[in-house]
Amino acid sequence: MNRPDTDRLYNLLPAIYRLRDADQGEPLRALLRVISEQVNVVEADIDQLYTNWFIETCQDWVTPYLGDLIGYQPIHEAGEPNQAATAEGQLRNRIVFPRRDVANTTAARRRKGTLALLEQLANDVAGWPARAVEFYALLGLTQPLNHLRLGRGRTADLRRGDALDRLDGPFDELAHTISVGRSNATRTQRRYNIPSIGLFVWRLQPFSITRAPAFCVDRFPNHYTFSILGNDTPLLTNPVAEPEPAFSAGDLNVPDWIRRRPFDDRTADYYGPAKSLYIWRDGLDQPVPLAQIVAADLSAWRYVPQRDQVAVDPVRGRIAFPPRQAPEGGVWVSYYYGFSAPLGGGEYDRPLSPVGARVLYRVGPDEQDQTIMAAVQRWRAARQAGNAADALIEIADSGVYQEPIELMLAAGECLELRAAQRTRPVIRLLDWDSNRPAALRIRALPAPADGPAAPPPRLTLDGLLVAGRSVQAAGPLGRLTIRHCTLAPGWSLEHDCEPQQG
């Protein structure tokens, strides 16, 4: 900020007066400096009055007044606004009248009556993407010859399979006969009427799975599922941001289920890096090209793709390769699934406990330890050397770890086995030993009777998906914490998500 010029009035005087004032010790200059300070104060106040007209630049004490002008409803639980004469009062006004909310309300008042505003309000209030539909535009009508609208009021074209699939949905474009009634009726809701407007919201959130192994279906080396558990997983669209606020949301701007017809017609909109799905075969350095992807119905695995084609069923989350071109080095996938909340193992931001004084061991393909038990053994060797009893084993990728895991914890030890931020590793337990049941074994050892007193051991599992077998804990374990984890029911799932074992 520039310092105000205190000699601005003095410099306006003719030079002869300034010379005479200098000969007398500049008393006139001192007087005009005092007057200039007050002029600067008045001028700055006038400038501030102009900036206070706008919510982006106004002072904090003006925000409640601007909010009252547009009818903004304050948060009464935080108290009533006051004159903000103290710092505490100003802080309270910031809570009761948030500048961002008042600015959003002002923008909404300016766009009052527009269709896109309903979508934005649904997103702001509930956090759900939405699409507003004016049902009068979907009514069948007899058009005047001098003002034809060929895209509206037409009878259904049975050759347009994609339009028929979107019937009665948020992206319906077929004409309907008028249904006289209210859309909010308690008994029978009527949509297609002249004053009716509908708001379709998407409650499920898109969650990503990045560069994770796919599941090979038994007896078919060319059949795979996106889900590592072998169940059908409908794929979700990775929403693209709307180009402008007035833009009405399309099927690519909301987390909608991917249907076969639009995936076949616009494969490039869904398939590719940073899009809704991506497939690698025989290594993560060999992605399947876009030209080889075809949409197919793989409900009963009857469709056989041709040579150099890869069939994808986005409705069931299945992949089929040509029988003579089955992958030999494995298949990896990236996709999005839908769920109502960040719950269970997933690639979402989780509150992680700080490393602190604990010893950190990272597990992953590019880390020093490539298996979980390798990190556990390194910690055990460090414990025998007298190092820290608290350890943190962090899995750095969304891969699948298939190994016999047995965690033996002595008194006074604390171990946390967790996924890194934005990853979802899978611990898949198999029948490694024929003479005992397979499981993720946690065994707590009692403190020696002749040794010093020590608290019982503690274990934390965080951000993992455990499948294949159960988790068994035995011994005097002080605390077992399981958070943001998914334990597959029945150890494994059928294609319809039912457990294979009861």
Side-chain angles (χ1 to χ4, degrees):
M1 184 176 180
N2 296 329
R3 295 184 59 185
D5 186 9
T6 56
D7 290 333
R8 54 186 302 186
L9 297 180
Y10 184 76
N11 294 331
L12 296 177
L13 294 175
I16 184 63
Y17 295 112
R18 285 179 286 171
L19 292 175
R20 291 181 179 179
D21 184 57
D23 294 339
Q24 300 178 11
E26 296 184 338
L28 182 58
R29 184 175 188 177
L31 175 63
L32 292 180
R33 278 186 175 180
V34 175
I35 299 175
S36 298
E37 290 179 359
Q38 301 305 314
V39 171
N40 292 334
V41 171
V42 174
E43 190 177 53
D45 187 62
I46 295 175
D47 293 339
Q48 185 62 48
L49 289 176
Y50 177 77
T51 58
N52 284 343
W53 280 104
F54 307 97
I55 187 62
E56 296 84 0
T57 58
C58 70
Q59 294 174 306
D60 291 335
W61 66 270
V62 185
T63 304
Y65 295 95
L66 294 181
D68 185 67
L69 287 176
I70 60 176
Y72 175 77
Q73 298 294 329
I75 306 175
H76 291 286
E77 289 79 2
E80 295 293 337
N82 53 22
Q83 298 298 325
T86 62
E88 182 181 357
Q90 295 176 4
L91 181 60
R92 179 185 298 175
N93 282 353
R94 293 178 185 177
I95 299 174
V96 177
F97 282 87
R99 184 186 297 266
R100 181 182 61 181
D101 292 349
V102 175
N104 292 338
T105 306
T106 303
R109 295 292 188 271
R110 294 171 179 171
R111 298 170 56 200
K112 182 171 59 176
T114 60
L115 195 64
L117 177 60
L118 296 178
E119 301 177 1
Q120 182 179 347
L121 287 178
N123 200 350
D124 293 342
V125 174
W128 292 345
R131 173 179 169 83
V133 178
E134 296 173 305
F135 289 117
Y136 80 89
L138 300 177
L139 294 178
L141 50 86
T142 302
Q143 300 191 24
L145 296 179
N146 58 351
H147 191 63
L148 293 177
R149 295 183 179 181
L150 301 181
R152 288 177 52 182
R154 301 171 55 186
T155 56
D157 188 353
L158 301 183
R159 297 180 179 87
R160 300 178 60 192
D162 184 47
L164 294 174
D165 288 344
R166 292 184 273 113
L167 185 65
D168 289 335
F171 305 104
D172 185 8
E173 59 184 32
L174 299 179
H176 300 254
T177 56
I178 189 169
S179 180
V180 179
R182 294 181 300 170
S183 59
N184 59 348
T186 57
R187 294 183 178 271
T188 303
Q189 297 181 355
R190 305 293 184 180
R191 290 185 182 177
Y192 303 97
N193 198 359
I194 294 177
S196 298
I197 295 179
L199 191 67
F200 295 86
V201 296
W202 280 261
R203 181 178 60 90
L204 299 183
Q205 306 175 28
F207 295 98
S208 64
I209 298 295
T210 307
R211 304 168 77 91
F215 179 81
C216 182
V217 180
D218 296 339
R219 304 183 305 276
F220 298 100
N222 61 322
H223 292 170
Y224 290 82
T225 62
F226 279 84
S227 174
I228 189 59
L229 300 179
N231 61 302
D232 291 344
T233 302
L235 306 186
L236 208 65
T237 303
N238 181 21
V240 181
E242 300 179 15
E244 56 183 9
F247 182 82
S248 183
D251 55 355
L252 293 177
N253 305 117
V254 295
D256 198 12
W257 304 113
I258 303 178
R259 296 178 293 109
R260 297 187 183 101
R261 291 183 185 272
F263 182 72
D264 186 26
D265 296 338
R266 297 172 285 141
T267 309
D269 293 337
Y270 296 96
Y271 183 82
K275 293 187 179 180
S276 299
L277 65 138
Y278 207 36
I279 303 174
W280 293 264
R281 58 172 297 169
D282 299 325
L284 287 171
D285 57 343
Q286 299 185 33
V288 177
L290 174 64
Q292 296 184 6
I293 300 296
V294 294
D297 185 359
L298 302 177
S299 301
W301 298 106
R302 296 176 181 175
Y303 182 85
V304 180
Q306 300 179 5
R307 183 177 178 82
D308 296 331
Q309 287 186 347
V310 178
V312 176
D313 187 351
V315 177
R316 292 187 173 270
R318 296 183 176 184
I319 309 171
F321 293 87
R324 296 187 178 182
Q325 292 182 330
E328 298 180 357
V331 176
W332 289 261
V333 292
S334 292
Y335 65 97
Y336 286 80
Y337 68 94
F339 202 65
S340 57
L343 185 68
E347 294 181 353
Y348 51 84
D349 293 327
R350 315 186 317 273
L352 299 181
S353 58
V355 178
R358 295 181 294 177
V359 183
L360 175 63
Y361 301 92
R362 289 181 61 86
V363 179
D366 300 328
E367 304 295 338
Q368 181 178 356
D369 300 317
Q370 298 186 359
T371 63
I372 297 175
M373 288 307 299
V376 173
Q377 292 171 4
R378 275 213 305 140
W379 177 50
R380 279 285 157 224
R383 283 291 295 142
Q384 294 178 0
N387 291 337
D390 294 350
L392 170 61
I393 299 177
E394 187 174 76
I395 305 176
D397 68 331
S398 297
V400 177
Y401 292 84
Q402 302 177 145
E403 54 180 304
I405 300 178
E406 186 170 2
L407 305 176
M408 300 183 64
L409 304 176
E413 293 181 345
C414 180
L415 175 63
E416 180 176 0
L417 177 60
R418 76 183 186 191
Q421 198 71 278
R422 307 293 298 181
T423 63
R424 196 223 48 187
V426 178
I427 297 179
R428 194 160 177 258
L429 305 172
L430 304 176
D431 292 326
W432 295 98
D433 300 319
S434 59
N435 59 351
R436 62 174 180 171
L440 193 159
R441 296 185 179 86
I442 304 168
R443 183 181 177 187
L445 302 177
D450 55 348
R458 295 171 296 168
L459 177 66
T460 301
L461 303 178
D462 186 1
L464 307 175
L465 191 156
V466 183
R469 291 298 181 269
S470 60
V471 178
Q472 297 180 2
L477 190 64
R479 184 176 63 190
L480 174 60
T481 303
I482 301 177
R483 57 172 177 252
H484 292 283
C485 290
T486 298
L487 306 181
W491 299 344
S492 55
L493 302 178
E494 297 285 358
H495 68 281
D496 55 355
C497 292
E498 291 296 327
Q500 293 183 1
Q501 296 84 11

